Amino acid sequence: MDWVVGIVVQCFVLGLIGWFLARRNDSAIRNALTVQKPEQDKGLDSAQVCNLLATAGKTLSDHSEKLGSFERSLQFANDPQCDFPALGGIRRANQCAEQAIETTIAGLVAACDDLLSEEHSSLEAFQETTIAIDTAREGIKHGELLVHIACTLLDMNRELRTEHKTVQNEVAAGKDQIIHLLSRASSAEQLARVDTLTELPNRRALEEAFTQCEKVQDQNGQPFSLILLDIDHFKAVNDTFGHAAGDALLVLVARILRENCKTADFACRVGGEEFAVLLPRCAEQPAKFVAERYRHEIESASLHYGDREIAITVSCGVAQAIPGKPQANLLKRADTALYTAKTRGRNQTCVHGDLAESQEPSVPKMAP
């Protein structure tokens, strides 16, 4: 009986010791978890989770070692045949420890899941931020491209304005040159129709005026006439006083014709000492009175050359244009009348219509 009592006492003592160790290990694990819980509530980072895992691992390792020692000391207690009341308490303590371990592991897994979820959310936020930054960079690149394009367009605009101004200046210069050339051409054209000595229109201008009178006559049948004036004894003036005196005499006669010519009349120098006056809308007899007026004005004037006074007279021939006849016909008939005035003594006016056909010279020749 003594050995049975000794075994019972020994088993009871070992059960107490195992129960005490189980409670101690369970308490240590709970304390470790309790200490880390506020940090878990605040949100764990990766370093804190690693520390928590290391502490839990160390605690589990210590608990495993102690359980191993306890199980080795109670190998015989695991025998189902040993049915001592103390062994039930030990088993319950062991179950509590295992439950605490499982709870701890579940808490760690949940904490890891939360940490991974937060890290995943942070990673998604970081990715969104990165995408936003890339988008902003693309926007900046597009903005820089637009600014570059705008600057290029401004430079092109400035260049175009400069070229436009240059072209405008060239066009203005060309315009001025064209105006100058046209003016010179007009002047040249005007000079081609003007006698340089007397500044009266020349024979070319007379032909153009004759053409205009012909058009008017064809349209409304209005007549027009021609007066030819020739300075008497002009060769004698040149021989006696020189050609300068003769030029001065021509200028004086031209001035008298210009001053007494009406607006519609056309006075010109035909050549040499011969002048002509074209009278639009004027028949032959009225033209004779106009010629007489010119002749009297010239006769009443005189040329003062040096200390000499030179008398001036002219002979006049008048003819009316015949519709359908060329200019040469009118000039020929007026020249015939002028030749008749010369042969009759000069300083007088003859009208071609007043001449008898028998008295008209076959080949008129101007007297000197």
Side-chain angles (χ1 to χ4, degrees), residues 162-224:
T162 303
E163 292 179 0
H164 179 66
K165 188 174 182 180
T166 303
V167 171
Q168 280 185 334
N169 294 334
E170 292 178 355
V171 169
K175 184 178 179 180
D176 293 339
Q177 186 176 5
I178 290 173
I179 293 174
H180 178 67
L181 292 175
L182 290 175
S183 177
R184 290 183 59 183
S186 178
S187 299
E189 186 72 15
Q190 188 69 19
L191 290 175
R193 291 173 171 79
V194 175
D195 178 64
T196 56
L197 176 62
T198 62
E199 296 182 355
L200 284 176
N202 56 17
R203 183 162 187 156
R204 178 181 177 183
L206 175 64
E207 292 174 356
E208 294 177 355
F210 186 93
T211 302
Q212 294 296 325
C213 290
E214 280 184 329
K215 290 181 180 179
V216 173
Q217 187 181 50
D218 293 339
Q219 290 175 357
N220 50 33
Q222 291 183 349
F224 66 95

Side-chain angles (χ1 to χ4, degrees), residues 124-140:
E124 290 181 349
F126 177 75
Q127 290 177 350
E128 292 177 357
T129 304
T130 304
I131 294 172
I133 292 173
D134 292 338
T135 305
R137 287 179 178 175
E138 291 297 328
I140 292 172

Side-chain angles (χ1 to χ4, degrees), residues 15 18 38 54 65 150 181 205 241 252 302:
E65 290 179 0
L181 292 175
F241 302 99
L252 176 60
S302 60

